[in-house]
Amino acid sequence: IWAARKLERHGGGEVHAFEPAPLTFAMLGENLRENHLRSIIPHRIACSDRTGTVDFFLGEHHHISSLVASWAKGHGAGGDRVSAEAVRLDDFFENRRPPDLIKVDIEGGGVFALPGMQGTVNRHRPLLWIESHTPEEDAAISNLLVASRYGAYQVAEHRVVRRIDLDHRHPDGIRGTLFAYPAERVGEFSRYFD
C-alpha cells in the first residue's frame, strides 16, 4: 500500500498483485477499495514456471496456501487442492511496461515462480525482494541470482550475501528475506549495507 501511494502521488506506475487463493483475493480487493488504491491491479493468478492451469493448495491460513502441497499440508490442517490459473512473469510482462521491482513472498512457490521470471530479470534488471521459506526455495533463488549476475543483501541479518551460490546451510549463503540487485548497480546500494 505504501508503494502504491507513493506511485500515485508521484505521477504514475502500476503495482500488479498476484493472488490465486479465492478468499485471500477477495480480501485483497476489499483492502484496495477501502484504501482507494487505483494503481494496484489485482490478478487472481499464481506466478509459476508455466502459463496455464496449475494445482494450488489452500492452507488453513492464507500465509500457508501454496503451489507446494507439502508447505500447505505441513502446517496443520488444510492442503485442499484447487485449480488455479497461472502465468510465467516472462509471459505477463512481454507486452507490458517492464517492472522496476518484483516482490516474491509465495510460501515456497518460488521454486516455480523464479524460473518463470528469468527472462524478465535478465532483460529488464529489476530490483528483487524475495522471501525464502524452504531449502528448495533457497536453491531456486540462488539459481536465479547466479544466472542473472545479481547480488543480495540478507535483510534480517543485516549482511551482504557473500555466497549466492550456496543455501542456508552455509553461514554466507541464501536464506530468509533478501533484497537482490543487478551486480552492475551495487554502487547505488552499498552505502546502505553497513
Side-chain angles (χ1 to χ4, degrees):
I1 291 175
W2 175 85
R5 287 209 167 113
K6 284 276 196 197
L7 285 173
E8 289 176 3
R9 263 184 266 156
H10 297 290
E14 297 173 333
V15 175
H16 293 278
F18 299 88
E19 179 53 64
L23 293 176
T24 309
F25 184 79
M27 287 190 306
L28 171 63
E30 186 176 318
N31 196 346
L32 297 178
R33 283 187 297 281
E34 287 177 6
N35 288 285
H36 309 288
L37 295 169
R38 295 172 306 281
S39 61
I40 298 178
I41 302 164
H43 304 276
R44 191 171 160 201
I45 302 172
C47 296
S48 189
D49 56 352
R50 62 189 171 101
T51 296
T53 303
V54 296
D55 288 337
F56 187 76
F57 300 90
L58 300 174
E60 189 172 271
H61 300 287
H62 71 275
H63 59 275
I64 57 173
S65 294
S66 180
L67 288 167
V68 180
S70 60
W71 179 265
K73 293 177 183 175
H75 289 86
D80 295 333
R81 181 190 341 218
V82 298
S83 290
E85 289 302 310
V87 67
R88 292 171 66 242
L89 289 181
D90 289 345
D91 295 337
F92 183 84
F93 285 111
E94 189 173 341
N95 296 310
R96 287 182 168 87
R97 177 181 171 183
D100 296 313
L101 170 72
I102 298 174
K103 178 181 180 278
V104 179
D105 183 0
I106 55 176
E107 317 314 322
V111 297
F112 300 107
L114 297 173
M117 64 186 232
Q118 181 82 54
T120 299
V121 170
N122 287 340
R123 275 189 303 283
H124 303 296
R125 315 297 285 160
L127 300 175
L128 306 172
W129 188 272
I130 305 174
E131 178 76 25
S132 183
H133 299 87
T134 66
E136 295 80 12
E137 219 169 19
D138 291 348
I141 293 166
S142 178
N143 291 340
L144 175 73
L145 299 183
V146 168
S148 300
R149 298 177 332 279
Y150 267 60
Y153 181 79
Q154 210 289 337
V155 176
E157 297 174 17
H158 307 287
R159 66 173 180 84
V160 172
V161 178
R162 303 270 180 231
R163 297 294 307 269
I164 62 169
D165 59 321
L166 298 174
D167 66 16
H168 68 282
R169 294 172 292 189
H170 191 280
D172 291 325
I174 295 290
R175 68 176 157 274
T177 303
L178 301 164
F179 169 72
Y181 47 87
E184 66 271 15
R185 294 181 62 187
V186 67
E188 294 176 48
F189 305 106
S190 59
R191 69 176 179 255
Y192 301 111
F193 297 160
D194 296 325

